[in-house]
Coordinates of all heavy atoms in Angstrom, one line a residue:
N252 N 0.8 -1.2 0.0 CA 0.0 0.0 0.0 C 0.9 1.2 0.0 O 1.8 1.4 0.8 CB -0.9 0.0 1.2 CG -2.0 1.0 1.2 OD1 -1.9 2.0 0.6 ND2 -3.0 0.8 2.0
M253 N 0.6 2.1 -0.9 CA 1.5 3.3 -1.1 C 1.4 4.3 0.1 O 2.4 4.8 0.5 CB 1.1 4.0 -2.4 CG 2.1 5.2 -2.7 SD 1.6 6.0 -4.2 CE 3.0 5.5 -5.2
V254 N 0.2 4.5 0.6 CA 0.0 5.4 1.7 C 0.8 4.9 3.0 O 1.5 5.7 3.7 CB -1.5 5.6 2.1 CG1 -1.7 6.4 3.3 CG2 -2.2 6.2 0.9
K255 N 0.8 3.6 3.2 CA 1.5 3.0 4.3 C 3.0 3.2 4.1 O 3.7 3.6 5.1 CB 1.2 1.5 4.4 CG 1.8 0.8 5.5 CD 1.3 -0.6 5.5 CE 2.3 -1.6 6.2 NZ 1.9 -3.0 6.1
G256 N 3.5 3.1 2.9 CA 4.9 3.3 2.6 C 5.3 4.8 2.9 O 6.4 5.1 3.4
I257 N 4.4 5.7 2.5 CA 4.7 7.1 2.6 C 4.7 7.5 4.1 O 5.6 8.2 4.6 CB 3.7 8.0 1.9 CG1 3.9 7.8 0.4 CG2 3.8 9.5 2.2 CD1 2.8 8.4 -0.5
V258 N 3.8 7.0 4.9 CA 3.7 7.2 6.3 C 5.0 6.7 7.0 O 5.6 7.3 7.8 CB 2.5 6.7 6.9 CG1 2.5 6.7 8.5 CG2 1.2 7.4 6.4
L259 N 5.4 5.5 6.6 CA 6.6 4.9 7.1 C 7.8 5.7 6.8 O 8.7 5.9 7.6 CB 6.7 3.4 6.6 CG 7.9 2.7 7.1 CD1 7.8 2.4 8.6 CD2 8.0 1.3 6.4
A260 N 7.9 6.2 5.6 CA 9.0 7.0 5.2 C 9.1 8.3 6.0 O 10.2 8.7 6.4 CB 8.9 7.4 3.7
F261 N 8.0 8.9 6.3 CA 8.0 10.1 7.1 C 8.4 9.8 8.5 O 9.1 10.6 9.2 CB 6.6 10.8 7.1 CG 6.4 11.7 5.9 CD1 5.4 11.4 5.0 CD2 7.2 12.9 5.8 CE1 5.2 12.3 3.9 CE2 7.0 13.7 4.7 CZ 6.0 13.4 3.8
A262 N 7.9 8.7 9.0 CA 8.3 8.3 10.4 C 9.8 8.0 10.5 O 10.4 8.4 11.5 CB 7.5 7.0 10.8
V263 N 10.4 7.3 9.5 CA 11.8 7.0 9.6 C 12.6 8.3 9.5 O 13.6 8.5 10.2 CB 12.2 6.0 8.4 CG1 13.7 5.9 8.3 CG2 11.6 4.7 8.7
F264 N 12.1 9.2 8.6 CA 12.8 10.5 8.5 C 12.8 11.3 9.8 O 13.8 11.8 10.2 CB 12.2 11.3 7.3 CG 12.8 12.7 7.3 CD1 14.1 12.9 6.6 CD2 12.2 13.8 7.8 CE1 14.6 14.2 6.6 CE2 12.7 15.1 7.7 CZ 14.0 15.2 7.1
A265 N 11.6 11.3 10.4 CA 11.5 12.1 11.7 C 12.4 11.4 12.8 O 13.0 12.2 13.5 CB 10.0 12.1 12.1
W266 N 12.4 10.1 12.8 CA 13.2 9.4 13.8 C 14.7 9.7 13.6 O 15.4 10.0 14.5 CB 13.0 7.9 13.7 CG 13.8 7.1 14.7 CD1 13.6 7.0 16.0 CD2 15.0 6.5 14.4 NE1 14.6 6.2 16.6 CE2 15.5 5.9 15.6 CE3 15.8 6.3 13.2 CZ2 16.7 5.2 15.7 CZ3 16.9 5.6 13.3 CH2 17.4 5.0 14.5
G267 N 15.1 9.6 12.3 CA 16.5 9.9 12.0 C 16.9 11.4 12.3 O 18.0 11.6 12.8
D268 N 16.0 12.3 12.0 CA 16.2 13.7 12.3 C 16.4 13.9 13.8 O 17.3 14.6 14.3 CB 15.1 14.5 11.8 CG 15.3 16.0 11.9 OD1 16.4 16.5 11.5 OD2 14.5 16.7 12.4
A269 N 15.5 13.3 14.6 CA 15.6 13.4 16.1 C 16.9 12.8 16.6 O 17.5 13.4 17.5 CB 14.4 12.7 16.7
V270 N 17.3 11.7 16.1 CA 18.6 11.1 16.5 C 19.8 12.0 16.2 O 20.6 12.2 17.1 CB 18.8 9.7 15.9 CG1 20.2 9.2 16.1 CG2 17.7 8.7 16.5
V271 N 19.8 12.5 15.0 CA 20.9 13.4 14.6 C 21.0 14.6 15.5 O 22.0 15.1 15.9 CB 20.8 13.7 13.1 CG1 21.8 14.9 12.8 CG2 21.2 12.5 12.3
K272 N 19.8 15.2 15.8 CA 19.8 16.4 16.6 C 20.2 16.1 18.0 O 20.9 16.9 18.7 CB 18.4 17.0 16.6 CG 18.0 17.7 15.3 CD 16.7 18.3 15.3 CE 16.4 19.0 14.0 NZ 15.1 19.5 13.8
E273 N 19.9 14.9 18.5 CA 20.3 14.5 19.9 C 21.8 14.3 20.0 O 22.4 14.7 21.0 CB 19.5 13.3 20.3 CG 19.7 12.9 21.7 CD 19.3 13.9 22.8 OE1 18.3 14.6 22.5 OE2 20.0 14.0 23.8
I274 N 22.4 13.6 19.0 CA 23.8 13.3 19.1 C 24.6 14.5 18.6 O 25.8 14.5 18.9 CB 24.2 12.1 18.3 CG1 24.0 12.3 16.8 CG2 23.4 10.9 18.8 CD1 24.6 11.1 16.0
G275 N 24.0 15.5 18.0 CA 24.8 16.6 17.4 C 25.4 17.6 18.3 O 26.3 18.3 17.9
Y276 N 25.0 17.6 19.6 CA 25.5 18.6 20.5 C 26.9 18.4 20.9 O 27.7 19.3 21.1 CB 24.6 18.7 21.8 CG 23.2 19.2 21.5 CD1 22.1 18.4 21.5 CD2 23.1 20.5 21.1 CE1 20.9 18.8 21.2 CE2 21.8 21.0 20.8 CZ 20.7 20.2 20.9 OH 19.5 20.6 20.6
G277 N 27.4 17.1 21.0 CA 28.7 16.9 21.5 C 29.7 16.4 20.4 O 30.8 16.1 20.7
L278 N 29.3 16.4 19.1 CA 30.1 15.8 18.1 C 30.5 16.9 17.0 O 29.8 17.9 16.9 CB 29.4 14.7 17.4 CG 29.1 13.4 18.2 CD1 28.3 12.4 17.4 CD2 30.4 12.8 18.8
D279 N 31.5 16.6 16.3 CA 31.9 17.4 15.2 C 30.9 17.3 14.1 O 30.2 16.2 13.9 CB 33.3 16.9 14.7 CG 33.8 17.7 13.6 OD1 34.3 18.8 13.9 OD2 33.8 17.2 12.4
P280 N 30.6 18.3 13.3 CA 29.6 18.2 12.2 C 29.9 17.1 11.2 O 28.9 16.5 10.7 CB 29.8 19.6 11.5 CG 30.3 20.5 12.5 CD 31.2 19.7 13.4
F281 N 31.1 16.7 11.0 CA 31.4 15.6 10.1 C 31.0 14.3 10.7 O 30.5 13.4 10.0 CB 32.9 15.6 9.7 CG 33.3 16.6 8.7 CD1 34.0 17.7 9.1 CD2 32.9 16.5 7.4 CE1 34.4 18.6 8.1 CE2 33.2 17.4 6.4 CZ 34.0 18.5 6.8
E282 N 31.1 14.2 12.0 CA 30.7 13.0 12.7 C 29.2 12.9 12.7 O 28.6 11.8 12.5 CB 31.2 12.9 14.2 CG 32.7 12.8 14.2 CD 33.2 12.9 15.7 OE1 32.8 13.8 16.4 OE2 34.1 12.1 16.0
V283 N 28.5 14.0 12.9 CA 27.0 14.0 12.9 C 26.6 13.6 11.5 O 25.6 12.7 11.4 CB 26.5 15.4 13.3 CG1 25.0 15.4 13.1 CG2 26.9 15.7 14.7
T284 N 27.2 14.1 10.5 CA 26.8 13.7 9.1 C 27.1 12.2 8.9 O 26.2 11.5 8.3 CB 27.6 14.6 8.1 OG1 27.3 16.0 8.4 CG2 27.2 14.3 6.7
F285 N 28.2 11.8 9.3 CA 28.5 10.3 9.1 C 27.5 9.4 9.8 O 27.0 8.5 9.1 CB 29.9 10.1 9.7 CG 30.3 8.6 9.7 CD1 30.7 8.0 8.6 CD2 30.2 7.9 10.9 CE1 31.0 6.6 8.6 CE2 30.5 6.5 10.9 CZ 31.0 5.9 9.7
F286 N 27.2 9.7 11.0 CA 26.2 8.9 11.7 C 24.8 9.1 11.2 O 24.0 8.2 11.2 CB 26.2 9.1 13.2 CG 27.4 8.5 13.9 CD1 28.4 9.4 14.5 CD2 27.6 7.2 13.9 CE1 29.5 8.8 15.1 CE2 28.8 6.6 14.5 CZ 29.7 7.5 15.1
G287 N 24.5 10.3 10.7 CA 23.2 10.6 10.1 C 23.0 9.8 8.8 O 21.8 9.5 8.4
Y288 N 24.0 9.4 8.1 CA 23.9 8.5 6.9 C 24.1 7.1 7.2 O 23.6 6.2 6.6 CB 24.9 9.0 5.8 CG 24.3 10.2 5.1 CD1 24.7 11.5 5.5 CD2 23.5 10.1 4.0 CE1 24.2 12.6 4.9 CE2 23.0 11.2 3.4 CZ 23.3 12.4 3.8 OH 22.8 13.5 3.2
L289 N 25.0 6.8 8.2 CA 25.3 5.4 8.6 C 24.1 4.7 9.2 O 23.8 3.5 8.8 CB 26.4 5.3 9.6 CG 26.8 3.9 10.0 CD1 27.4 3.1 8.9 CD2 27.8 4.0 11.2
I290 N 23.4 5.3 10.1 CA 22.2 4.6 10.8 C 21.1 4.2 9.8 O 20.7 3.1 9.8 CB 21.7 5.5 11.9 CG1 22.8 5.6 13.0 CG2 20.4 5.0 12.5 CD1 22.5 6.7 14.1
P291 N 20.7 5.1 8.9 CA 19.7 4.7 7.9 C 20.2 3.6 7.0 O 19.5 2.7 6.6 CB 19.3 5.9 7.1 CG 19.7 7.1 8.0 CD 20.9 6.6 8.8
F292 N 21.5 3.7 6.6 CA 22.1 2.7 5.7 C 22.1 1.3 6.4 O 21.7 0.3 5.8 CB 23.5 3.1 5.4 CG 24.2 2.0 4.5 CD1 23.9 1.9 3.2 CD2 25.2 1.2 5.1 CE1 24.5 1.0 2.4 CE2 25.8 0.3 4.3 CZ 25.5 0.1 2.9
L293 N 22.4 1.2 7.7 CA 22.3 0.0 8.4 C 20.9 -0.6 8.6 O 20.7 -1.8 8.6 CB 23.0 0.1 9.7 CG 24.5 0.4 9.7 CD1 25.1 0.6 11.1 CD2 25.3 -0.7 9.0
L294 N 20.0 0.3 8.7 CA 18.6 -0.1 8.9 C 17.9 -0.4 7.5 O 16.8 -1.0 7.5 CB 17.8 1.0 9.6 CG 18.2 1.2 11.1 CD1 17.4 2.3 11.7 CD2 17.9 -0.1 11.9
S295 N 18.4 0.0 6.4 CA 17.7 -0.1 5.1 C 17.4 -1.6 4.7 O 16.4 -1.8 4.1 CB 18.5 0.6 4.0 OG 19.8 0.1 3.9
P296 N 18.2 -2.6 5.1 CA 17.7 -4.0 4.8 C 16.4 -4.3 5.4 O 15.7 -5.2 4.8 CB 18.9 -4.8 5.3 CG 20.1 -4.0 5.3 CD 19.6 -2.6 5.6
V297 N 16.0 -3.7 6.5 CA 14.8 -4.0 7.1 C 13.6 -3.7 6.2 O 12.6 -4.3 6.2 CB 14.7 -3.3 8.5 CG1 13.3 -3.4 9.1 CG2 15.7 -3.7 9.4
F298 N 13.8 -2.6 5.4 CA 12.7 -2.1 4.5 C 12.8 -2.7 3.1 O 12.0 -2.2 2.3 CB 12.8 -0.6 4.5 CG 12.6 0.0 5.9 CD1 13.7 0.5 6.6 CD2 11.4 0.0 6.5 CE1 13.6 1.1 7.8 CE2 11.2 0.6 7.8 CZ 12.3 1.1 8.4
M299 N 13.7 -3.6 2.9 CA 13.8 -4.1 1.5 C 12.7 -5.2 1.3 O 12.2 -5.8 2.2 CB 15.1 -4.8 1.3 CG 16.3 -3.8 1.4 SD 17.9 -4.5 1.3 CE 18.0 -5.0 -0.4
K300 N 12.2 -5.3 0.0 CA 11.2 -6.2 -0.4 C 11.9 -7.6 -0.6 O 13.1 -7.7 -0.9 CB 10.6 -5.8 -1.7 CG 9.8 -4.5 -1.6 CD 9.2 -4.1 -2.9 CE 10.3 -3.8 -3.8 NZ 9.9 -3.1 -5.1
P301 N 11.1 -8.7 -0.5 CA 11.7 -10.0 -0.8 C 12.2 -10.0 -2.2 O 11.5 -9.5 -3.1 CB 10.5 -10.9 -0.6 CG 9.6 -10.2 0.3 CD 9.7 -8.7 0.0
G302 N 13.4 -10.5 -2.4 CA 14.0 -10.6 -3.7 C 15.0 -9.5 -4.0 O 15.8 -9.6 -4.9
D303 N 14.9 -8.4 -3.2 CA 15.9 -7.3 -3.3 C 17.3 -7.8 -2.8 O 17.3 -8.7 -1.9 CB 15.5 -6.1 -2.5 CG 14.4 -5.3 -3.1 OD1 14.1 -5.6 -4.3 OD2 13.8 -4.5 -2.5
R304 N 18.3 -7.4 -3.4 CA 19.7 -7.8 -3.0 C 20.3 -6.6 -2.2 O 20.2 -5.5 -2.5 CB 20.5 -8.1 -4.2 CG 19.9 -9.3 -4.9 CD 20.7 -9.6 -6.2 NE 20.7 -8.4 -7.0 CZ 21.4 -8.3 -8.1 NH1 22.2 -9.3 -8.5 NH2 21.3 -7.2 -8.9
I305 N 21.1 -7.0 -1.2 CA 21.8 -6.0 -0.3 C 22.8 -5.3 -1.1 O 23.0 -4.1 -0.9 CB 22.4 -6.7 0.9 CG1 21.2 -7.1 1.8 CG2 23.3 -5.8 1.7 CD1 21.6 -7.8 3.1
V306 N 23.4 -5.9 -2.1 CA 24.5 -5.3 -2.9 C 23.9 -4.1 -3.7 O 24.6 -3.2 -4.0 CB 25.2 -6.3 -3.8 CG1 24.3 -6.7 -5.0 CG2 26.5 -5.8 -4.4
D307 N 22.6 -4.1 -3.9 CA 22.0 -3.0 -4.7 C 22.0 -1.7 -3.9 O 21.7 -0.6 -4.4 CB 20.5 -3.4 -5.1 CG 20.5 -4.4 -6.2 OD1 21.5 -4.6 -6.9 OD2 19.5 -5.2 -6.2
L308 N 22.2 -1.8 -2.6 CA 22.3 -0.6 -1.7 C 23.5 0.3 -2.1 O 23.5 1.5 -1.9 CB 22.3 -0.9 -0.3 CG 21.1 -1.6 0.3 CD1 21.4 -2.0 1.8 CD2 19.9 -0.6 0.3
V309 N 24.6 -0.4 -2.6 CA 25.8 0.4 -2.9 C 26.2 0.4 -4.4 O 27.2 0.8 -4.7 CB 27.0 -0.2 -2.0 CG1 26.7 0.1 -0.6 CG2 27.2 -1.6 -2.3
R310 N 25.3 -0.2 -5.2 CA 25.5 -0.1 -6.6 C 24.7 0.9 -7.3 O 23.4 0.9 -7.2 CB 25.2 -1.5 -7.2 CG 25.6 -1.5 -8.7 CD 25.3 -2.9 -9.3 NE 25.9 -4.0 -8.6 CZ 25.4 -5.2 -8.6 NH1 24.3 -5.5 -9.2 NH2 26.0 -6.1 -7.9
W311 N 25.3 2.0 -7.8 CA 24.5 3.1 -8.3 C 24.5 3.1 -9.9 O 25.5 2.6 -10.5 CB 25.1 4.4 -7.9 CG 25.3 4.4 -6.4 CD1 24.2 4.5 -5.5 CD2 26.5 4.4 -5.6 NE1 24.7 4.5 -4.2 CE2 26.1 4.5 -4.2 CE3 27.8 4.4 -5.9 CZ2 27.0 4.5 -3.2 CZ3 28.7 4.4 -4.9 CH2 28.3 4.5 -3.6
N312 N 23.5 3.6 -10.5 CA 23.4 3.7 -11.9 C 24.3 4.8 -12.4 O 24.8 4.8 -13.5 CB 22.0 3.9 -12.4 CG 21.1 2.7 -12.1 OD1 21.6 1.6 -12.1 ND2 19.8 2.9 -11.8
R313 N 24.4 5.9 -11.6 CA 25.2 7.1 -12.0 C 26.2 7.4 -10.9 O 25.9 8.2 -10.0 CB 24.3 8.3 -12.2 CG 23.3 8.1 -13.3 CD 22.4 9.3 -13.5 NE 21.3 9.0 -14.4 CZ 20.1 8.6 -14.0 NH1 19.8 8.4 -12.7 NH2 19.1 8.3 -14.9
P314 N 27.3 6.7 -10.8 CA 28.3 6.9 -9.7 C 28.8 8.4 -9.7 O 29.1 8.9 -8.6 CB 29.4 6.0 -10.0 CG 29.1 5.2 -11.2 CD 27.8 5.7 -11.8
W315 N 28.9 9.1 -10.8 CA 29.3 10.4 -10.8 C 28.4 11.3 -10.0 O 28.8 12.3 -9.3 CB 29.5 11.0 -12.2 CG 28.3 11.0 -13.0 CD1 27.7 10.1 -13.8 CD2 27.3 12.1 -13.0 NE1 26.5 10.5 -14.3 CE2 26.3 11.7 -13.9 CE3 27.3 13.4 -12.4 CZ2 25.2 12.6 -14.1 CZ3 26.2 14.2 -12.7 CH2 25.2 13.8 -13.6
L316 N 27.1 11.0 -10.0 CA 26.1 11.8 -9.3 C 26.2 11.5 -7.8 O 26.1 12.5 -7.0 CB 24.7 11.4 -9.8 CG 23.5 12.3 -9.5 CD1 23.8 13.7 -10.0 CD2 22.3 11.8 -10.1
M317 N 26.6 10.3 -7.4 CA 26.8 10.0 -6.0 C 28.1 10.8 -5.5 O 28.1 11.3 -4.4 CB 26.9 8.5 -5.7 CG 27.0 8.2 -4.3 SD 25.7 8.7 -3.2 CE 24.3 7.7 -3.8
G318 N 29.1 10.8 -6.4 CA 30.3 11.5 -6.1 C 30.0 13.0 -5.9 O 30.6 13.7 -4.9
L319 N 29.2 13.6 -6.7 CA 28.8 15.0 -6.6 C 28.0 15.2 -5.3 O 28.3 16.2 -4.6 CB 27.9 15.4 -7.8 CG 27.4 16.8 -7.7 CD1 28.5 17.8 -7.8 CD2 26.4 17.1 -8.9
R320 N 27.2 14.3 -4.9 CA 26.4 14.4 -3.7 C 27.4 14.4 -2.5 O 27.2 15.2 -1.5 CB 25.4 13.2 -3.6 CG 24.6 13.2 -2.3 CD 23.7 12.1 -2.3 NE 22.9 12.1 -1.1 CZ 22.3 11.1 -0.5 NH1 22.5 9.9 -1.0 NH2 21.6 11.3 0.6
V321 N 28.3 13.5 -2.4 CA 29.3 13.4 -1.4 C 30.1 14.7 -1.3 O 30.3 15.2 -0.2 CB 30.2 12.1 -1.5 CG1 31.4 12.2 -0.6 CG2 29.4 10.9 -1.4
F322 N 30.5 15.2 -2.4 CA 31.3 16.4 -2.4 C 30.5 17.6 -1.9 O 30.9 18.4 -1.0 CB 31.7 16.7 -3.9 CG 32.4 18.1 -4.0 CD1 33.7 18.3 -3.6 CD2 31.7 19.1 -4.6 CE1 34.2 19.5 -3.7 CE2 32.2 20.4 -4.7 CZ 33.5 20.6 -4.3
L323 N 29.2 17.7 -2.3 CA 28.4 18.8 -1.8 C 28.1 18.7 -0.3 O 28.0 19.7 0.4 CB 27.1 18.9 -2.6 CG 27.2 19.3 -4.1 CD1 25.9 19.2 -4.8 CD2 27.8 20.7 -4.2
I324 N 27.9 17.5 0.2 CA 27.7 17.3 1.6 C 28.9 17.7 2.4 O 28.8 18.3 3.4 CB 27.3 15.8 1.9 CG1 25.9 15.5 1.4 CG2 27.4 15.5 3.4 CD1 25.5 14.1 1.4
A325 N 30.1 17.3 1.9 CA 31.3 17.7 2.6 C 31.6 19.2 2.6 O 32.1 19.7 3.5 CB 32.5 17.0 1.9
M326 N 31.1 19.9 1.5 CA 31.3 21.3 1.5 C 30.3 22.1 2.3 O 30.6 23.1 2.8 CB 31.1 21.8 0.0 CG 32.2 21.3 -0.9 SD 33.8 22.1 -0.5 CE 34.6 20.9 0.5
T327 N 29.1 21.5 2.5 CA 28.1 22.2 3.3 C 28.0 21.8 4.7 O 27.3 22.5 5.5 CB 26.7 22.0 2.6 OG1 26.4 20.6 2.6 CG2 26.6 22.6 1.2
T328 N 28.7 20.8 5.1 CA 28.6 20.4 6.5 C 29.3 21.4 7.5 O 28.8 21.8 8.5 CB 29.2 18.9 6.7 OG1 28.4 18.1 6.0 CG2 29.2 18.5 8.2
P329 N 30.6 21.8 7.2 CA 31.3 22.7 8.1 C 30.5 24.0 8.3 O 30.4 24.5 9.5 CB 32.6 22.9 7.5 CG 32.8 21.8 6.6 CD 31.5 21.3 6.1
P330 N 29.9 24.7 7.3 CA 29.2 25.9 7.6 C 28.0 25.7 8.4 O 27.5 26.7 9.0 CB 28.9 26.4 6.2 CG 29.8 25.8 5.2 CD 30.1 24.4 5.9
S331 N 27.5 24.5 8.5 CA 26.2 24.3 9.3 C 26.5 24.2 10.8 O 25.5 24.0 11.5 CB 25.5 23.1 8.7 OG 26.2 21.9 9.0
S332 N 27.7 24.2 11.2 CA 28.0 24.0 12.6 C 27.9 25.3 13.4 O 27.9 26.3 13.0 CB 29.4 23.4 12.8 OG 30.4 24.2 12.3

């Protein structure tokens, strides 16, 4: 059901946002960003459909776009502290 998936996505986002805000007070901005991406990555197999492969989590169709994303995150993290 699509509505159930959308509600679940909002709940996971809200939970992740709360965790990052809670751990963010005592950590460097790069550490907060690292954990902010690591925790959802580790939890993502829970939300995979039967037949999905775990290797698909790290195999991208456009690797250059992921490289650009990583670069932009690295550039915008320090000013946000």
Side-chain angles (χ1 to χ4, degrees):
N252 189 339
M253 184 179 252
V254 173
K255 184 175 153 184
I257 292 171
V258 170
L259 181 63
F261 277 114
V263 169
F264 175 79
W266 178 80
D268 186 52
V270 168
V271 166
K272 286 181 181 174
E273 184 63 31
I274 67 172
Y276 292 110
L278 298 176
D279 184 75
F281 285 107
E282 292 174 319
V283 174
T284 303
F285 174 76
F286 288 115
Y288 282 93
L289 178 68
I290 293 168
F292 178 73
L293 294 176
L294 291 176
S295 57
V297 174
F298 301 104
M299 295 175 75
K300 297 179 290 193
D303 288 346
R304 297 177 301 175
I305 291 182
V306 73
D307 292 334
L308 292 173
V309 294
R310 186 180 306 155
W311 306 294
N312 294 331
R313 298 178 191 96
W315 64 270
L316 199 55
M317 187 57 69
L319 178 64
R320 179 180 183 206
V321 169
F322 173 75
L323 292 174
I324 289 170
M326 292 292 98
T327 58
T328 298
S331 68
S332 60

